[in-house]
Amino acid sequence: MPPLPPVPGLQPERTLFAWRRTVVSLALATGLVAFCVVRVEPGLAVGLLALLGVGVAVVALVRLLAEQHDPRRSTEPWPRLLHGVTAVVALAVVGAACAVVEAAGP
Amino acid sequence: MTTTGDEPGRDDARRPRSVYGVGTEPDPRVSLANERTALAWVRTGLGLVAAGVALTSLAAIADLSIVLDLLAAAACLAGGAVAISALVSWRRTERAIRLAEPLPAPRALPVLVGGVAIVALLLAVQAIASAG
């Protein structure tokens, strides 16, 4: 975190830990969804779209980490929140697609 | 309070301008609390996505009804919606803080509680139906 004004009780580490929890959760969920895509074995078109979705999530996660370590950007949460939400939405769409493919059955 | 773009110490490069271009610099403790709340919502959305993926995997492994797959798809999409709502809510709250206005009510909370209750009810009905 960058130097913040000396305010009593600021506790910037709480926000830092919240970001770390979010990043770890995102990484785990990305792995879970990628595993689901492999397990479901969708058709070529759906499979490629699903991998594209997982790829979007991974790129958003990497950009989130990069923004977090950029001292010029670390005081503004918006870009990092945007990358985090992009990753979650990409995983949500891929997860829903997996569930629909499972429901459709072989 | 109004826009004060030439205020000393104002970092004009911060995004989004619709938030940082209005009002005055708030107590950083409040801004950080708003950021942590948004992160908690993002993690809630992520939890819904993970639950949906786990549910569809379980349904496939145990050869359960396709109703569970449809519930799983709904949970995943709801997770994405909760994450988007976190972003919108952060922006609305930060603006209100900067403008010293009353904080907006958490709109996603009743929807989330209602959604989780409905999913729990449907899962219970499905469990009873498959046991009978």
Side-chain angles (χ1 to χ4, degrees), chain A residues 1 4-5 7-12 14-15 17-19 21-22 25-27 29 32-33 35-36 39 67 72-82 84-85 87-89 91-93 95-100 102-104, chain B residues 11 13-16 19-20 27-29 31-33 35-36 38-40 42-43 45-46 49-54 56-58 60-61 66 68-70 72-74 76-81 83-88 90-91:
Chain A
M1 294 284 281
L4 284 165
V7 178
L10 186 61
Q11 297 179 309
R14 287 179 65 192
T15 308
F17 288 144
W19 273 108
R21 281 196 298 274
T22 307
S25 307
L26 263 174
L32 185 69
V33 171
F35 175 73
C36 187
R39 188 187 54 74
E67 293 263 5
R72 292 166 303 169
R73 294 281 177 225
S74 50
T75 48
E76 43 178 297
W78 177 258
R80 284 174 289 147
L81 278 175
L82 202 58
V85 169
V88 176
V89 170
L91 293 177
V93 171
C98 281
V100 169
E102 284 281 9
Chain B
D11 181 6
R14 285 186 299 174
R15 295 171 289 167
V19 170
Y20 292 111
D27 184 336
R29 287 173 293 193
S31 275
L32 289 179
E35 190 176 332
R36 288 195 298 271
L39 286 175
V42 169
R43 288 196 300 274
L46 206 50
V49 173
V53 170
T56 192
S57 299
L58 181 71
I61 291 166
I66 67 161
L68 294 182
D69 289 319
L70 297 178
C76 287
L77 294 178
I84 292 171
S85 144
L87 204 58
V88 173
W90 174 85
R91 186 182 164 282

Side-chain angles (χ1 to χ4, degrees), chain B residues 10 30 42 56 99 102:
Chain B
R10 169 71 61 85
V30 182
V42 169
T56 192
L99 293 168

Side-chain angles (χ1 to χ4, degrees), chain B residues 8-132:
Chain B
R10 169 71 61 85
D11 181 6
D12 283 328
R14 285 186 299 174
R15 295 171 289 167
R17 297 301 308 140
S18 58
V19 170
Y20 292 111
V22 298
T24 54
E25 278 301 314
D27 184 336
R29 287 173 293 193
V30 182
S31 275
L32 289 179
N34 184 32
E35 190 176 332
R36 288 195 298 271
T37 305
L39 286 175
W41 276 107
V42 169
R43 288 196 300 274
T44 303
L46 206 50
L48 280 170
V49 173
V53 170
L55 189 59
T56 192
S57 299
L58 181 71
I61 291 166
D63 201 20
L64 299 173
S65 162
I66 67 161
V67 172
L68 294 182
D69 289 319
L70 297 178
L71 274 178
C76 287
L77 294 178
V82 165
I84 292 171
S85 144
L87 204 58
V88 173
S89 179
W90 174 85
R91 186 182 164 282
R92 285 171 60 223
T93 305
E94 193 69 22
R95 262 183 76 91
I97 291 167
R98 293 183 71 86
L99 293 168
E101 290 173 350
L103 295 185
R107 285 191 291 203
L109 192 57
V111 178
L112 178 71
V113 171
V116 169
I118 289 169
V119 168
L121 193 66
L122 289 174
L123 283 175
V125 168
Q126 166 66 25
I128 291 167
S130 57

